[in-house]
Amino acid sequence: MKHKKNLRCVGCGKGVYGEYGGYKFPQCKVCYEKNIQSVNNPQYGKYLFFIVLFGLFLRLIFFAGIGTSDDLAYTDYASKASMGKDFIKDSSLTLSTRLGIIYPTALSYKLFGINDFSSVFFILLTSIGNIILIYHFGKLLFNERTGLMASFLL
């Protein structure tokens, strides 16, 4: 029979964490219930809003534009796709098969025209979306404060 090591709670460091509601949480039952009660705290929503604004500000300040190599190939394929041309048949590179970046960029070309901003608009949106996603993962696994710190660091 294997000996299970008792793992301590990440919230208080005292209790042993376990399964609650069918999910494994790195918190003891007391910390888990306290976090569940504080889920709808509007103060954390304000903090997340300001973190997202700060992240957007930093991304716009340090925007470097389109780089070289892959970026240029993606923008070329997206511009062909926005004009309705078949770009996959004309290419021998595997970059033309990465449709998850080409078609959203082609859509932003249709909406905003072909320029540097529309070339990175989808990437900017996904980067901001990652901040919100990291917050929710941190909140789910630990607590809202940890989610806020993780989103701020991203």
Side-chain angles (χ1 to χ4, degrees), residues 35-77:
N35 286 335
I36 291 299
Q37 291 171 359
S38 71
V39 164
N40 295 323
N41 189 345
Q43 180 182 10
Y44 289 115
K46 291 177 188 176
Y47 290 147
L48 179 62
F49 176 74
F50 287 119
I51 288 172
V52 168
L53 278 182
F54 182 66
L56 179 64
F57 174 74
L58 286 178
R59 282 155 178 78
L60 291 175
I61 290 289
F62 294 108
F63 171 67
I66 300 299
T68 59
S69 187
D70 292 355
D71 296 340
L72 294 176
Y74 291 137
T75 56
D76 182 45
Y77 297 141

Side-chain angles (χ1 to χ4, degrees), residues 76-145:
D76 182 45
Y77 297 141
S79 66
K80 288 178 183 176
S82 69
M83 291 182 236
K85 295 181 182 176
D86 186 15
F87 61 90
I88 296 176
K89 181 170 60 172
D90 298 336
S91 176
S92 63
L93 295 174
T94 58
L95 297 177
S96 64
T97 61
R98 298 193 178 141
L99 305 178
I101 190 142
I102 294 172
Y103 282 130
T105 306
L107 177 66
S108 70
Y109 284 169
K110 286 227 181 230
L111 294 174
F112 305 115
I114 299 176
N115 55 36
D116 275 353
F117 175 74
S118 59
S119 296
V120 296
F121 181 69
F122 175 68
I123 297 165
L124 178 68
L125 285 180
T126 56
S127 179
I128 295 299
N130 281 338
I131 293 174
I132 297 168
L133 190 67
I134 287 296
Y135 165 73
H136 286 291
F137 276 131
K139 181 176 84 170
L140 177 70
L141 293 175
F142 300 104
N143 57 29
E144 291 187 57
R145 182 177 290 168

